[in-house]
Amino acid sequence: RPWLFFHLTSQTYAPTALSLFFFNNSLFLSLSQLHLLSPFKYSQNHSYRYPSLLGLSIFTLHAMAIDCISNIASMTHHPKDEKKDEQKKLVFDASVLKFESQIPKEFIWPDDEKPSANAPELQVPLIDLGGFLSGDPVATMEASRFISEACQQHGFFLVVNHGVDAKLLADAHKYMDNFFLLPLRQKQRAQRKLGEHCGYASSFTGRFSTKLPWKETLSFRYSAENNSSKMVEDYLVNKMGYELRQLGRVYQDYCEAMSKLSLGIMELLAISLGVGRAHFREFFDKNDSIMRLNYYPPCQKPDLTLGTGPHCDPTSLTILHQDRVGGLQVFVDNEWHSISPNFEAFVVNIGDTFMALSNGRYKSCLHRAVVNSHKPRKSLAFFLCPEGDKVVTPPAELVSQNSPRVYPDFTWPMLLEFTQKHYRADMNTLQEFSNWVQQRNS
């Protein structure tokens, strides 16, 4: 029928009706005085003639209205929309899925990529930055030597005595916990849009349909420019509301600490490569970087899925701080190795952009994250990136007749666009990107 009316009473002193009517494929709701709409008669004490409708609270009315809306919506469903609707239904809600014994097929990885049981631990020396930060030349050379060995082998190392305030670290983890405990709808205020790299993402459900990671993330930009001292804070307030201002302030401070630490590591990398000590520090001085909060909820089938699939970071340098729950794995000597969490240390790895800057001498680190069935895991990741107009090209000292250029010149926004719109980052990202750049240039 063209019109569908649905009237209900509420227990107000002046009887009221909730009216739902369907007309021309649209649903309308209205609240109005019952005596104006209803054909039913009332006695002097306002009791309804139909006792089955007595005693309805406004909450019951709301529930019935929602049920009515759902039924009407189902009547208007067309079969041709089923595929689109099915894709829209897939939402990674950690508060629900962490209890599911049967995980959605989209999160099940191929047999040859499923996590290996009992991965051996990788023994990685801790690089003490205390002497370097205090200006000790002997300690500086020793730290650069350890970094050189690690970067030539697998691109991965740990640093301690890094100078980052312990309270800032504790606050960063506390506010990360607070954010991921928010209801899904509230987190979705900062929903990451397709093709963008900032915002909230519940897995990659809107971007990919297979091999989805079992995680949630919140990512945002950080700029070391002088006029960007409130960039992180303003972004989170604009997206999430004023109540997240303190969270924004904590991560603004955290990003500034990570930027300072990464510039120091860049100085050690320059020394280890035999180029001017200030070369990479100056290159990244006004970095335009990315901060990401990672949350890996428990999974009842951790042997079927991955928190993050095998990949090399397309960025320049990653500084990661883990909580006390293990899950990080690195691929070394054709085997996956676990990295035990160390709350006092930062995990540092080389990314594709710096691999290109070193003319291939230092390796981008292949890594992944696994999940477990009983504890959530969280981590803070700072991805150092150069300014958008900086050309990624190796210094002259690293190019010679015996060491010709390995990768073409590019800018970081080009590689970022490639990974967001054309290619899912994995262990072959830099080579595939190089081929893409060369094809564009030709």
PDB file of all heavy atoms in Angstrom, residues 180-191:
ATOM      1  N   PHE A 180      41.312   2.634  22.375  1.00  0.00           N
ATOM      2  CA  PHE A 180      40.806   1.402  21.782  1.00  0.00           C
ATOM      3  C   PHE A 180      39.693   0.756  22.610  1.00  0.00           C
ATOM      4  O   PHE A 180      38.992  -0.131  22.108  1.00  0.00           O
ATOM      5  CB  PHE A 180      41.959   0.416  21.545  1.00  0.00           C
ATOM      6  CG  PHE A 180      42.828   0.813  20.384  1.00  0.00           C
ATOM      7  CD1 PHE A 180      44.161   1.140  20.569  1.00  0.00           C
ATOM      8  CD2 PHE A 180      42.306   0.881  19.099  1.00  0.00           C
ATOM      9  CE1 PHE A 180      44.966   1.519  19.505  1.00  0.00           C
ATOM     10  CE2 PHE A 180      43.095   1.258  18.025  1.00  0.00           C
ATOM     11  CZ  PHE A 180      44.424   1.580  18.220  1.00  0.00           C
ATOM     12  N   LEU A 181      39.495   1.216  23.850  1.00  0.00           N
ATOM     13  CA  LEU A 181      38.377   0.731  24.647  1.00  0.00           C
ATOM     14  C   LEU A 181      37.084   1.483  24.346  1.00  0.00           C
ATOM     15  O   LEU A 181      36.015   1.100  24.817  1.00  0.00           O
ATOM     16  CB  LEU A 181      38.701   0.850  26.143  1.00  0.00           C
ATOM     17  CG  LEU A 181      39.685  -0.193  26.695  1.00  0.00           C
ATOM     18  CD1 LEU A 181      40.047   0.130  28.129  1.00  0.00           C
ATOM     19  CD2 LEU A 181      39.114  -1.601  26.584  1.00  0.00           C
ATOM     20  N   LEU A 182      37.163   2.543  23.564  1.00  0.00           N
ATOM     21  CA  LEU A 182      35.961   3.289  23.187  1.00  0.00           C
ATOM     22  C   LEU A 182      35.035   2.420  22.341  1.00  0.00           C
ATOM     23  O   LEU A 182      35.494   1.514  21.628  1.00  0.00           O
ATOM     24  CB  LEU A 182      36.337   4.545  22.391  1.00  0.00           C
ATOM     25  CG  LEU A 182      37.072   5.663  23.128  1.00  0.00           C
ATOM     26  CD1 LEU A 182      37.526   6.725  22.136  1.00  0.00           C
ATOM     27  CD2 LEU A 182      36.192   6.281  24.209  1.00  0.00           C
ATOM     28  N   PRO A 183      33.725   2.676  22.363  1.00  0.00           N
ATOM     29  CA  PRO A 183      32.809   1.953  21.470  1.00  0.00           C
ATOM     30  C   PRO A 183      33.194   2.184  20.012  1.00  0.00           C
ATOM     31  O   PRO A 183      33.716   3.241  19.651  1.00  0.00           O
ATOM     32  CB  PRO A 183      31.447   2.573  21.783  1.00  0.00           C
ATOM     33  CG  PRO A 183      31.600   3.185  23.144  1.00  0.00           C
ATOM     34  CD  PRO A 183      33.023   3.633  23.237  1.00  0.00           C
ATOM     35  N   LEU A 184      32.927   1.181  19.193  1.00  0.00           N
ATOM     36  CA  LEU A 184      33.300   1.250  17.775  1.00  0.00           C
ATOM     37  C   LEU A 184      32.749   2.507  17.113  1.00  0.00           C
ATOM     38  O   LEU A 184      33.460   3.186  16.364  1.00  0.00           O
ATOM     39  CB  LEU A 184      32.794   0.009  17.049  1.00  0.00           C
ATOM     40  CG  LEU A 184      33.057  -0.040  15.544  1.00  0.00           C
ATOM     41  CD1 LEU A 184      34.555  -0.057  15.256  1.00  0.00           C
ATOM     42  CD2 LEU A 184      32.384  -1.265  14.909  1.00  0.00           C
ATOM     43  N   ARG A 185      31.504   2.844  17.393  1.00  0.00           N
ATOM     44  CA  ARG A 185      30.893   4.003  16.735  1.00  0.00           C
ATOM     45  C   ARG A 185      31.646   5.291  17.063  1.00  0.00           C
ATOM     46  O   ARG A 185      31.772   6.176  16.221  1.00  0.00           O
ATOM     47  CB  ARG A 185      29.420   4.122  17.137  1.00  0.00           C
ATOM     48  CG  ARG A 185      28.658   5.230  16.420  1.00  0.00           C
ATOM     49  CD  ARG A 185      27.178   5.138  16.701  1.00  0.00           C
ATOM     50  NE  ARG A 185      26.608   3.921  16.182  1.00  0.00           N
ATOM     51  CZ  ARG A 185      26.208   3.759  14.922  1.00  0.00           C
ATOM     52  NH1 ARG A 185      26.342   4.752  14.063  1.00  0.00           N
ATOM     53  NH2 ARG A 185      25.691   2.618  14.513  1.00  0.00           N
ATOM     54  N   GLN A 186      32.147   5.388  18.293  1.00  0.00           N
ATOM     55  CA  GLN A 186      32.885   6.585  18.667  1.00  0.00           C
ATOM     56  C   GLN A 186      34.241   6.633  17.972  1.00  0.00           C
ATOM     57  O   GLN A 186      34.680   7.686  17.499  1.00  0.00           O
ATOM     58  CB  GLN A 186      33.057   6.638  20.186  1.00  0.00           C
ATOM     59  CG  GLN A 186      33.535   7.991  20.693  1.00  0.00           C
ATOM     60  CD  GLN A 186      33.432   8.105  22.193  1.00  0.00           C
ATOM     61  OE1 GLN A 186      32.808   7.263  22.847  1.00  0.00           O
ATOM     62  NE2 GLN A 186      34.045   9.135  22.759  1.00  0.00           N
ATOM     63  N   LYS A 187      34.909   5.497  17.872  1.00  0.00           N
ATOM     64  CA  LYS A 187      36.196   5.459  17.167  1.00  0.00           C
ATOM     65  C   LYS A 187      36.019   5.789  15.691  1.00  0.00           C
ATOM     66  O   LYS A 187      36.907   6.390  15.064  1.00  0.00           O
ATOM     67  CB  LYS A 187      36.848   4.080  17.336  1.00  0.00           C
ATOM     68  CG  LYS A 187      37.361   3.809  18.739  1.00  0.00           C
ATOM     69  CD  LYS A 187      38.005   2.444  18.865  1.00  0.00           C
ATOM     70  CE  LYS A 187      37.006   1.329  18.897  1.00  0.00           C
ATOM     71  NZ  LYS A 187      37.599   0.028  19.287  1.00  0.00           N
ATOM     72  N   GLN A 188      34.868   5.422  15.149  1.00  0.00           N
ATOM     73  CA  GLN A 188      34.629   5.644  13.725  1.00  0.00           C
ATOM     74  C   GLN A 188      34.414   7.113  13.369  1.00  0.00           C
ATOM     75  O   GLN A 188      34.307   7.440  12.190  1.00  0.00           O
ATOM     76  CB  GLN A 188      33.421   4.817  13.271  1.00  0.00           C
ATOM     77  CG  GLN A 188      33.740   3.335  13.154  1.00  0.00           C
ATOM     78  CD  GLN A 188      32.523   2.508  12.784  1.00  0.00           C
ATOM     79  OE1 GLN A 188      31.389   2.858  13.130  1.00  0.00           O
ATOM     80  NE2 GLN A 188      32.735   1.404  12.096  1.00  0.00           N
ATOM     81  N   ARG A 189      34.380   7.986  14.362  1.00  0.00           N
ATOM     82  CA  ARG A 189      34.351   9.416  14.045  1.00  0.00           C
ATOM     83  C   ARG A 189      35.599   9.809  13.255  1.00  0.00           C
ATOM     84  O   ARG A 189      35.579  10.757  12.471  1.00  0.00           O
ATOM     85  CB  ARG A 189      34.305  10.238  15.336  1.00  0.00           C
ATOM     86  CG  ARG A 189      33.019  10.146  16.130  1.00  0.00           C
ATOM     87  CD  ARG A 189      33.117  11.058  17.350  1.00  0.00           C
ATOM     88  NE  ARG A 189      32.056  10.836  18.314  1.00  0.00           N
ATOM     89  CZ  ARG A 189      32.022  11.412  19.509  1.00  0.00           C
ATOM     90  NH1 ARG A 189      32.999  12.238  19.869  1.00  0.00           N
ATOM     91  NH2 ARG A 189      31.025  11.162  20.335  1.00  0.00           N
ATOM     92  N   ALA A 190      36.687   9.106  13.522  1.00  0.00           N
ATOM     93  CA  ALA A 190      37.943   9.394  12.823  1.00  0.00           C
ATOM     94  C   ALA A 190      38.193   8.377  11.723  1.00  0.00           C
ATOM     95  O   ALA A 190      39.343   8.091  11.383  1.00  0.00           O
ATOM     96  CB  ALA A 190      39.104   9.388  13.818  1.00  0.00           C
ATOM     97  N   GLN A 191      37.127   7.827  11.145  1.00  0.00           N
ATOM     98  CA  GLN A 191      37.257   6.762  10.149  1.00  0.00           C
ATOM     99  C   GLN A 191      38.215   7.148   9.023  1.00  0.00           C
ATOM    100  O   GLN A 191      38.119   8.233   8.450  1.00  0.00           O
ATOM    101  CB  GLN A 191      35.895   6.427   9.550  1.00  0.00           C
ATOM    102  CG  GLN A 191      35.883   5.220   8.637  1.00  0.00           C
ATOM    103  CD  GLN A 191      36.111   3.921   9.376  1.00  0.00           C
ATOM    104  OE1 GLN A 191      35.583   3.717  10.463  1.00  0.00           O
ATOM    105  NE2 GLN A 191      36.924   3.053   8.812  1.00  0.00           N
TER     106      GLN A 191
END
